[in-house]
Coordinates of all heavy atoms in Angstrom, one line a residue:
M1 N 114.3 109.0 129.9 CA 113.3 108.0 129.6 C 113.9 106.7 129.2 O 113.7 105.7 129.7 CB 112.3 108.5 128.5 CG 111.1 107.6 128.2 SD 109.9 107.7 129.5 CE 108.6 106.8 128.8
A2 N 114.8 106.8 128.2 CA 115.5 105.6 127.6 C 116.4 105.0 128.7 O 116.5 103.8 128.9 CB 116.3 106.0 126.4
N3 N 117.0 105.9 129.5 CA 117.9 105.4 130.6 C 117.1 104.6 131.6 O 117.7 103.6 132.1 CB 118.6 106.6 131.2 CG 119.9 106.9 130.5 OD1 120.4 106.1 129.7 ND2 120.5 108.1 130.7
I4 N 116.0 105.1 132.0 CA 115.2 104.5 133.1 C 114.8 103.1 132.5 O 115.0 102.1 133.2 CB 113.9 105.3 133.4 CG1 114.4 106.6 134.1 CG2 113.0 104.5 134.2 CD1 113.3 107.6 134.3
T5 N 114.4 103.0 131.3 CA 114.0 101.7 130.7 C 115.2 100.7 130.7 O 115.1 99.6 131.1 CB 113.5 101.9 129.3 OG1 112.5 102.9 129.3 CG2 112.9 100.6 128.8
K6 N 116.4 101.3 130.4 CA 117.6 100.4 130.3 C 117.9 99.9 131.7 O 118.2 98.7 131.8 CB 118.7 101.3 129.7 CG 119.8 100.4 129.1 CD 120.9 101.3 128.4 CE 122.1 100.5 128.1 NZ 123.2 101.4 127.7
S7 N 117.9 100.7 132.7 CA 118.3 100.2 134.0 C 117.2 99.3 134.5 O 117.6 98.4 135.3 CB 118.5 101.5 134.9 OG 117.4 102.2 135.0
A8 N 116.0 99.5 134.1 CA 114.9 98.6 134.6 C 115.2 97.2 134.0 O 115.0 96.2 134.7 CB 113.6 99.1 134.2
V9 N 115.5 97.3 132.7 CA 115.8 96.0 132.0 C 117.0 95.2 132.6 O 117.0 94.1 132.9 CB 116.1 96.2 130.5 CG1 116.6 95.0 129.8 CG2 114.8 96.6 129.8
I10 N 118.1 96.0 132.9 CA 119.3 95.4 133.6 C 118.9 94.9 135.0 O 119.3 93.7 135.2 CB 120.4 96.5 133.7 CG1 120.9 96.8 132.3 CG2 121.5 96.0 134.7 CD1 121.9 98.0 132.3
F11 N 118.2 95.6 135.7 CA 117.7 95.1 137.0 C 116.9 93.8 136.9 O 117.1 92.9 137.6 CB 116.8 96.3 137.7 CG 116.3 95.9 139.0 CD1 117.2 95.8 140.1 CD2 115.0 95.8 139.3 CE1 116.8 95.5 141.3 CE2 114.5 95.5 140.5 CZ 115.4 95.3 141.6
F12 N 116.0 93.8 135.9 CA 115.2 92.6 135.7 C 116.1 91.4 135.4 O 115.9 90.3 135.9 CB 114.2 93.0 134.6 CG 113.3 91.7 134.2 CD1 112.3 91.3 135.0 CD2 113.6 91.0 133.0 CE1 111.5 90.2 134.6 CE2 112.8 90.0 132.6 CZ 111.8 89.5 133.5
F13 N 117.1 91.7 134.5 CA 117.9 90.5 134.1 C 118.8 90.0 135.3 O 119.1 88.8 135.4 CB 118.7 90.9 132.9 CG 118.0 90.6 131.6 CD1 117.6 91.6 130.8 CD2 117.9 89.3 131.2 CE1 116.9 91.3 129.6 CE2 117.2 89.0 130.0 CZ 116.7 90.0 129.2
Q14 N 119.2 91.0 136.1 CA 120.0 90.6 137.3 C 119.2 89.6 138.2 O 119.7 88.7 138.7 CB 120.5 91.8 138.1 CG 121.7 92.4 137.5 CD 122.2 93.6 138.2 OE1 121.4 94.2 139.0 NE2 123.4 94.0 138.0
I15 N 117.9 90.0 138.4 CA 117.0 89.1 139.2 C 116.8 87.8 138.6 O 116.9 86.7 139.2 CB 115.7 89.9 139.5 CG1 115.9 91.0 140.5 CG2 114.7 88.8 140.0 CD1 114.7 91.8 140.7
L16 N 116.6 87.9 137.2 CA 116.4 86.5 136.5 C 117.6 85.6 136.6 O 117.5 84.5 136.8 CB 116.2 86.9 135.0 CG 115.4 86.0 134.2 CD1 113.9 86.0 134.7 CD2 115.4 86.2 132.8
L17 N 118.8 86.3 136.5 CA 120.1 85.5 136.6 C 120.2 84.9 137.9 O 120.6 83.7 138.0 CB 121.3 86.6 136.3 CG 122.6 85.9 136.0 CD1 122.5 85.3 134.6 CD2 123.7 86.8 136.2
R18 N 119.9 85.6 139.0 CA 120.0 85.1 140.3 C 119.0 83.9 140.5 O 119.3 82.9 141.1 CB 119.7 86.1 141.4 CG 121.0 86.8 141.8 CD 120.8 88.1 142.6 NE 121.6 89.2 142.1 CZ 121.7 90.4 142.8 NH1 121.0 90.5 143.9 NH2 122.4 91.3 142.3
L19 N 117.8 84.1 140.0 CA 116.9 83.1 140.2 C 117.2 81.8 139.4 O 117.1 80.7 139.9 CB 115.5 83.5 139.6 CG 114.7 84.4 140.6 CD1 113.4 84.9 139.9 CD2 114.3 83.6 141.9
S20 N 117.8 82.0 138.2 CA 118.1 80.8 137.4 C 119.4 80.1 138.0 O 119.4 78.9 138.0 CB 118.4 81.2 136.0 OG 119.5 82.1 135.9
L21 N 120.3 80.9 138.7 CA 121.4 80.3 139.4 C 120.9 79.4 140.5 O 121.3 78.3 140.7 CB 122.3 81.4 139.9 CG 123.5 81.7 139.0 CD1 124.3 82.8 139.6 CD2 124.4 80.5 138.8
L22 N 119.9 80.0 141.3 CA 119.4 79.3 142.4 C 118.7 78.0 142.0 O 118.9 77.0 142.6 CB 118.3 80.2 143.1 CG 118.6 80.4 144.6 CD1 118.9 81.9 144.9 CD2 117.4 80.0 145.4
L23 N 118.0 78.2 140.9 CA 117.3 77.0 140.3 C 118.2 75.9 139.9 O 118.1 74.7 140.2 CB 116.4 77.5 139.1 CG 115.3 76.5 138.7 CD1 114.2 76.6 139.8 CD2 114.7 76.9 137.4
A24 N 119.3 76.3 139.3 CA 120.3 75.4 138.7 C 120.9 74.7 139.9 O 121.1 73.4 139.9 CB 121.3 76.2 137.9
V25 N 121.2 75.4 141.0 CA 121.9 74.7 142.1 C 120.9 73.7 142.8 O 121.3 72.6 143.1 CB 122.3 75.9 143.2 CG1 122.6 75.2 144.5 CG2 123.4 76.6 142.6
S26 N 119.6 74.1 143.0 CA 118.8 73.2 143.6 C 118.5 72.0 142.7 O 118.3 70.9 143.2 CB 117.4 73.9 144.0 OG 116.7 74.3 142.8
M27 N 118.5 72.2 141.4 CA 118.3 71.1 140.5 C 119.5 70.1 140.6 O 119.3 68.9 140.6 CB 118.0 71.5 139.1 CG 116.6 71.7 138.8 SD 116.4 72.6 137.2 CE 117.0 71.6 136.0
A28 N 120.7 70.7 140.7 CA 121.8 69.9 140.7 C 121.8 69.0 142.1 O 122.2 67.8 142.0 CB 123.1 70.7 140.7
E29 N 121.4 69.7 143.1 CA 121.3 69.0 144.4 C 120.3 67.8 144.4 O 120.6 66.7 144.8 CB 120.9 69.9 145.5 CG 122.1 70.6 146.1 CD 121.7 71.7 147.1 OE1 120.5 71.9 147.3 OE2 122.6 72.3 147.6
N30 N 119.2 68.1 143.7 CA 118.2 67.1 143.6 C 118.7 65.8 142.8 O 118.5 64.7 143.1 CB 116.9 67.5 142.8 CG 116.0 68.2 143.8 OD1 116.1 68.1 145.0 ND2 115.0 68.9 143.2
K31 N 119.4 66.1 141.7 CA 120.0 65.1 140.8 C 121.0 64.3 141.7 O 121.0 63.0 141.5 CB 120.7 65.7 139.7 CG 120.0 65.4 138.3 CD 120.8 65.9 137.2 CE 119.9 65.8 135.9 NZ 120.5 66.6 134.9
L32 N 121.8 64.9 142.5 CA 122.8 64.2 143.3 C 122.1 63.2 144.2 O 122.5 62.1 144.3 CB 123.6 65.3 144.1 CG 125.0 65.0 144.3 CD1 125.8 65.1 143.1 CD2 125.6 65.9 145.4
I33 N 121.0 63.7 144.9 CA 120.3 62.9 145.9 C 119.7 61.7 145.1 O 119.7 60.6 145.5 CB 119.3 63.7 146.6 CG1 120.0 64.7 147.6 CG2 118.4 62.8 147.4 CD1 119.1 65.8 148.1
E34 N 119.0 62.1 144.0 CA 118.4 61.0 143.1 C 119.5 60.0 142.7 O 119.2 58.8 142.8 CB 117.9 61.6 141.9 CG 116.4 61.4 141.7 CD 115.9 62.1 140.5 OE1 116.3 61.9 139.4 OE2 115.0 63.1 140.7
G35 N 120.6 60.4 142.2 CA 121.6 59.5 141.8 C 122.1 58.6 142.9 O 122.2 57.4 142.6
V36 N 122.2 59.1 144.1 CA 122.6 58.2 145.2 C 121.5 57.2 145.5 O 121.8 56.0 145.7 CB 122.9 59.0 146.5 CG1 123.0 58.1 147.7 CG2 124.1 59.9 146.3
G37 N 120.3 57.6 145.5 CA 119.1 56.7 145.7 C 119.1 55.6 144.6 O 118.9 54.4 144.9
I38 N 119.3 56.0 143.3 CA 119.2 55.0 142.3 C 120.4 54.0 142.5 O 120.2 52.8 142.3 CB 119.3 55.7 140.9 CG1 117.9 56.4 140.6 CG2 119.6 54.7 139.8 CD1 118.0 57.4 139.5
L39 N 121.5 54.5 142.8 CA 122.7 53.6 143.0 C 122.4 52.6 144.1 O 122.7 51.5 143.9 CB 123.9 54.5 143.3 CG 124.8 54.9 142.1 CD1 126.0 55.6 142.6 CD2 125.3 53.6 141.4
G40 N 121.9 53.1 145.2 CA 121.7 52.3 146.3 C 120.7 51.2 146.0 O 120.9 50.0 146.3
E41 N 119.6 51.6 145.3 CA 118.6 50.7 144.9 C 119.1 49.6 144.0 O 118.9 48.4 144.2 CB 117.5 51.4 144.2 CG 116.1 51.1 144.7 CD 115.1 52.0 144.0 OE1 114.9 51.9 142.8 OE2 114.5 52.9 144.7
K42 N 119.9 50.0 143.0 CA 120.5 49.1 142.1 C 121.4 48.0 142.8 O 121.3 46.9 142.5 CB 121.4 49.9 141.1 CG 121.6 49.2 139.7 CD 122.4 50.1 138.9 CE 122.8 49.5 137.6 NZ 123.7 50.3 136.9
D43 N 122.1 48.6 143.7 CA 123.0 47.6 144.5 C 122.3 46.6 145.3 O 122.5 45.4 145.1 CB 123.9 48.5 145.5 CG 125.2 48.9 145.0 OD1 125.5 48.5 143.8 OD2 125.9 49.7 145.5
S44 N 121.2 47.0 146.0 CA 120.5 46.0 146.8 C 119.8 45.0 146.0 O 119.6 43.9 146.3 CB 119.6 46.8 147.8 OG 118.7 47.6 147.1
K45 N 119.2 45.5 144.8 CA 118.6 44.6 143.8 C 119.5 43.6 143.3 O 119.2 42.4 143.2 CB 118.0 45.4 142.7 CG 116.5 45.8 143.0 CD 115.9 46.5 141.8 CE 114.6 47.2 142.2 NZ 114.3 48.3 141.3
L46 N 120.7 44.1 142.9 CA 121.7 43.2 142.4 C 122.1 42.1 143.4 O 122.3 40.9 143.1 CB 123.0 43.9 142.0 CG 123.2 44.5 140.6 CD1 124.4 45.2 140.4 CD2 123.1 43.3 139.7
E47 N 122.2 42.5 144.6 CA 122.7 41.6 145.6 C 121.6 40.7 146.2 O 121.9 39.7 146.8 CB 123.4 42.4 146.8 CG 124.7 42.9 146.4 CD 125.3 43.8 147.5 OE1 124.7 43.8 148.7 OE2 126.2 44.5 147.3
C48 N 120.4 41.1 146.1 CA 119.3 40.4 146.7 C 118.1 40.2 145.8 O 117.1 40.8 146.0 CB 118.9 41.1 148.0 SG 118.1 40.0 149.2
A49 N 118.3 39.3 144.8 CA 117.2 39.1 143.9 C 116.1 38.3 144.6 O 114.9 38.4 144.3 CB 117.7 38.4 142.6
T50 N 116.5 37.4 145.5 CA 115.5 36.6 146.2 C 115.8 36.6 147.7 O 117.0 36.4 148.1 CB 115.5 35.1 145.7 OG1 115.4 35.1 144.3 CG2 114.3 34.3 146.3
A51 N 114.8 36.8 148.6 CA 115.0 36.8 150.0 C 114.3 35.5 150.6 O 113.3 35.1 150.0 CB 114.5 38.0 150.6
Y52 N 114.9 35.1 151.7 CA 114.3 34.0 152.4 C 114.1 34.3 153.9 O 115.0 34.8 154.5 CB 115.2 32.7 152.2 CG 114.9 31.6 153.1 CD1 113.8 30.7 152.8 CD2 115.7 31.3 154.3 CE1 113.6 29.6 153.7 CE2 115.4 30.3 155.1 CZ 114.4 29.4 154.8 OH 114.0 28.4 155.6
G53 N 113.0 34.0 154.5 CA 112.7 34.3 155.8 C 113.2 33.1 156.7 O 112.9 32.0 156.4
V54 N 114.0 33.4 157.7 CA 114.5 32.4 158.6 C 113.4 31.7 159.3 O 112.5 32.3 159.9 CB 115.6 33.0 159.6 CG1 116.0 32.0 160.6 CG2 116.7 33.6 158.8
R55 N 113.5 30.3 159.4 CA 112.6 29.5 160.2 C 113.4 28.8 161.2 O 114.6 28.7 161.3 CB 111.9 28.5 159.3 CG 111.0 29.1 158.2 CD 110.4 28.0 157.4 NE 110.1 28.6 156.0 CZ 110.0 27.7 154.9 NH1 110.1 26.4 155.1 NH2 109.7 28.3 153.8
G56 N 112.6 28.2 162.2 CA 113.2 27.5 163.3 C 114.1 26.4 162.8 O 113.8 25.7 161.9
G57 N 115.4 26.3 163.4 CA 116.3 25.2 163.1 C 117.2 25.7 161.9 O 118.2 24.9 161.6
D58 N 116.9 26.8 161.3 CA 117.8 27.2 160.1 C 119.1 27.8 160.7 O 119.2 28.3 161.8 CB 117.1 28.4 159.3 CG 116.1 27.8 158.4 OD1 116.1 26.6 158.1 OD2 115.3 28.7 157.9
N59 N 120.1 27.6 159.9 CA 121.4 28.4 160.2 C 122.0 28.7 158.8 O 121.4 28.3 157.8 CB 122.3 27.5 161.0 CG 122.7 26.1 160.4 OD1 122.9 26.1 159.2 ND2 122.6 25.1 161.2
C60 N 123.0 29.5 158.8 CA 123.5 30.0 157.5 C 123.9 28.9 156.6 O 123.6 28.9 155.4 CB 124.7 30.9 157.8 SG 124.2 32.5 158.5
T61 N 124.5 27.9 157.2 CA 125.0 26.7 156.4 C 123.8 26.0 155.7 O 123.8 25.7 154.5 CB 125.8 25.7 157.3 OG1 126.7 26.5 158.1 CG2 126.5 24.7 156.4
S62 N 122.7 25.7 156.5 CA 121.7 25.0 156.0 C 120.9 25.8 154.9 O 120.5 25.3 153.9 CB 120.7 24.5 157.1 OG 120.1 25.7 157.7
V63 N 120.7 27.1 155.2 CA 120.0 28.0 154.2 C 120.9 28.0 152.9 O 120.4 27.9 151.8 CB 119.8 29.4 154.7 CG1 119.2 30.3 153.7 CG2 118.8 29.3 155.9
A64 N 122.2 28.3 153.0 CA 123.0 28.3 151.9 C 122.9 27.0 151.0 O 122.9 27.0 149.8 CB 124.5 28.6 152.3
E65 N 123.0 25.9 151.8 CA 122.8 24.6 151.0 C 121.5 24.4 150.4 O 121.5 23.9 149.2 CB 123.0 23.4 152.1 CG 124.5 23.1 152.2 CD 124.8 22.0 153.3 OE1 123.8 21.4 153.8 OE2 125.9 21.9 153.8
T66 N 120.4 24.9 151.1 CA 119.1 24.8 150.5 C 119.1 25.4 149.1 O 118.4 25.0 148.2 CB 118.0 25.4 151.4 OG1 118.1 24.7 152.7 CG2 116.7 25.3 150.9
F67 N 119.8 26.6 149.0 CA 119.7 27.4 147.8 C 120.9 27.2 146.9 O 121.3 28.0 146.1 CB 119.5 28.9 148.1 CG 118.1 29.1 148.7 CD1 118.0 29.1 150.0 CD2 117.0 29.3 147.8 CE1 116.6 29.3 150.6 CE2 115.7 29.5 148.3 CZ 115.5 29.6 149.7
S68 N 121.7 26.1 147.2 CA 122.9 25.7 146.4 C 123.9 26.9 146.3 O 124.5 27.2 145.2 CB 122.5 25.4 145.0 OG 121.5 24.4 145.0
L69 N 124.1 27.6 147.4 CA 125.1 28.7 147.5 C 126.3 28.3 148.3 O 126.2 27.5 149.3 CB 124.5 29.9 148.2 CG 123.3 30.6 147.5 CD1 122.7 31.6 148.5 CD2 123.7 31.3 146.2
S70 N 127.5 28.7 147.8 CA 128.6 28.3 148.5 C 128.7 29.3 149.8 O 128.1 30.4 149.7 CB 129.9 28.6 147.7 OG 130.1 30.0 147.5
P71 N 129.3 28.9 150.8 CA 129.4 29.7 152.1 C 129.9 31.1 151.7 O 129.5 32.1 152.3 CB 130.2 29.0 153.0 CG 130.2 27.5 152.6 CD 130.0 27.6 151.1
G72 N 130.9 31.1 150.8 CA 131.6 32.4 150.5 C 130.5 33.4 149.8 O 130.4 34.5 150.2
I73 N 129.8 32.9 148.9 CA 128.8 33.7 148.2 C 127.7 34.1 149.2 O 127.3 35.3 149.2 CB 128.2 33.0 147.0 CG1 129.3 32.9 145.9 CG2 127.0 33.7 146.4 CD1 128.9 32.1 144.6
F74 N 127.3 33.2 150.0 CA 126.2 33.5 150.9 C 126.7 34.6 151.8 O 125.9 35.6 152.1 CB 125.9 32.3 151.8 CG 124.8 32.5 152.8 CD1 123.5 32.4 152.4 CD2 125.1 32.8 154.1 CE1 122.5 32.6 153.3 CE2 124.1 33.1 155.0 CZ 122.8 33.0 154.6
A75 N 127.9 34.6 152.3 CA 128.4 35.7 153.1 C 128.6 37.0 152.4 O 128.2 38.1 153.0 CB 129.8 35.2 153.7
D76 N 128.9 36.9 151.1 CA 129.0 38.1 150.3 C 127.7 38.9 150.1 O 127.6 40.1 150.2 CB 129.6 37.8 148.9 CG 131.0 37.6 148.9 OD1 131.7 37.9 149.9 OD2 131.6 37.2 147.9
I77 N 126.6 38.1 149.9 CA 125.3 38.8 149.7 C 124.6 39.0 151.0 O 123.5 39.6 151.0 CB 124.4 37.9 148.7 CG1 124.1 36.5 149.2 CG2 125.1 37.9 147.4 CD1 123.3 35.7 148.3
N78 N 125.1 38.5 152.2 CA 124.6 38.8 153.5 C 125.6 39.4 154.4 O 125.9 38.9 155.4 CB 124.0 37.5 154.1 CG 122.8 37.0 153.3 OD1 121.7 37.5 153.4 ND2 123.0 36.0 152.5
P79 N 126.1 40.6 154.0 CA 127.2 41.2 154.8 C 126.8 41.6 156.2 O 127.7 41.7 157.0 CB 127.6 42.4 153.9 CG 126.4 42.7 153.1 CD 125.7 41.5 152.9
N80 N 125.5 41.9 156.4 CA 125.1 42.3 157.8 C 124.5 41.3 158.6 O 123.9 41.6 159.6 CB 124.2 43.5 157.6 CG 124.8 44.7 156.8 OD1 126.0 45.0 157.1 ND2 124.1 45.2 155.9
V81 N 124.6 40.0 158.2 CA 123.9 39.0 158.9 C 125.0 38.3 159.9 O 126.0 38.0 159.5 CB 123.4 37.9 157.9 CG1 122.9 36.6 158.6 CG2 122.2 38.5 157.2
D82 N 124.5 38.1 161.1 CA 125.3 37.5 162.1 C 124.8 36.0 162.2 O 123.8 35.7 162.7 CB 125.1 38.2 163.5 CG 126.0 37.5 164.5 OD1 126.7 36.5 164.3 OD2 125.9 37.9 165.7
C83 N 125.7 35.1 161.6 CA 125.3 33.7 161.5 C 125.2 33.0 162.9 O 124.6 32.0 163.0 CB 126.2 33.0 160.6 SG 125.9 33.3 158.8
N84 N 125.8 33.6 163.9 CA 125.7 33.1 165.2 C 124.5 33.5 166.0 O 124.2 33.1 167.1 CB 127.0 33.5 166.0 CG 128.2 32.9 165.4 OD1 128.3 31.7 165.1 ND2 129.2 33.7 165.3
D85 N 123.7 34.4 165.3 CA 122.5 34.9 166.0 C 121.4 35.2 165.0 O 121.0 36.3 164.8 CB 122.9 36.2 166.8 CG 121.8 36.7 167.7 OD1 121.0 35.8 168.1 OD2 121.8 37.8 168.0
L86 N 121.0 34.1 164.3 CA 119.9 34.3 163.3 C 118.6 34.4 164.1 O 118.3 33.8 165.1 CB 119.8 33.0 162.4 CG 120.9 32.9 161.3 CD1 120.5 31.7 160.5 CD2 120.9 34.1 160.5
L87 N 117.8 35.3 163.6 CA 116.4 35.6 164.2 C 115.4 35.0 163.3 O 115.4 35.0 162.1 CB 116.2 37.1 164.4 CG 117.3 37.9 165.1 CD1 117.1 39.4 164.9 CD2 117.2 37.6 166.6
L88 N 114.4 34.4 164.0 CA 113.2 33.9 163.2 C 112.6 35.0 162.5 O 112.3 36.1 163.0 CB 112.2 33.3 164.3 CG 112.5 31.9 164.9 CD1 111.3 31.5 165.7 CD2 112.8 30.9 163.8
G89 N 112.3 34.7 161.2 CA 111.7 35.7 160.3 C 112.7 36.7 159.7 O 112.2 37.6 158.8
Q90 N 113.9 36.7 160.1 CA 114.9 37.5 159.5 C 115.1 37.2 158.0 O 115.0 36.0 157.6 CB 116.3 37.3 160.2 CG 117.4 38.1 159.8 CD 118.7 37.9 160.6 OE1 118.7 37.1 161.5 NE2 119.7 38.5 160.2
W91 N 115.3 38.2 157.2 CA 115.4 38.0 155.8 C 116.8 37.8 155.4 O 117.8 38.5 155.8 CB 114.9 39.2 155.0 CG 113.4 39.4 155.1 CD1 112.8 40.3 155.8 CD2 112.4 38.5 154.5 NE1 111.4 40.1 155.7 CE2 111.2 39.0 154.9 CE3 112.5 37.3 153.7 CZ2 110.0 38.4 154.5 CZ3 111.2 36.8 153.3 CH2 110.0 37.3 153.7
L92 N 117.1 36.7 154.7 CA 118.4 36.4 154.1 C 118.4 36.5 152.6 O 117.4 36.1 152.0 CB 118.8 35.0 154.5 CG 119.0 34.7 156.1 CD1 119.3 33.2 156.3 CD2 120.1 35.6 156.7
C93 N 119.4 37.0 152.0 CA 119.5 36.9 150.5 C 120.0 35.6 150.1 O 120.9 35.0 150.7 CB 120.5 38.0 150.1 SG 119.9 39.7 150.3
V94 N 119.3 35.1 149.1 CA 119.6 33.8 148.7 C 119.9 33.7 147.2 O 119.9 32.6 146.6 CB 118.5 32.7 149.1 CG1 118.5 32.5 150.6 CG2 117.2 33.1 148.6
Q95 N 120.0 34.9 146.6 CA 120.3 34.9 145.2 C 120.9 36.1 144.8 O 120.4 37.2 145.2 CB 119.0 34.7 144.3 CG 119.3 34.4 142.9 CD 118.1 34.3 142.0 OE1 117.0 33.7 142.5 NE2 118.1 34.9 140.9
Ligands
NAG1 C1 122.9 23.9 160.5 O1 121.7 23.1 160.3 C2 122.0 21.8 159.7 C3 120.7 21.2 159.3 O2 119.7 21.5 160.3 C4 122.9 21.0 160.6 O3 123.1 19.8 160.1 C5 124.2 21.7 160.9 O4 124.9 21.0 161.9 C6 123.9 23.2 161.5 N1 125.1 23.8 161.5 C7 125.4 24.7 162.6 C8 126.7 25.4 162.4 O5 124.7 24.8 163.5

């Protein structure tokens, strides 16, 4: 009688252990994904506090001058912008 109870308790704890391990792993994965998301968000916010929509006749130089940015800083905060091919309505970071 006592033996049966003991093995039942051990069995129960083994299942509990496996479940908590699984839970811990999935929680760690969630945190990892969350961390990457927060980092990415932080980066884009830091680099682009203000955006400007391209209008006809704009070019990188004129937009940078409008917002008192040096060409170097403008290029740094707009790493994916092709200044030779600006599109109307395209968003540029200006701060
Ligand atoms: C950019 O636009 C300004 C003002 O419209 C103009 O003076 C300048 O020549 C243009 N620069 C280029 C590279 O097209």
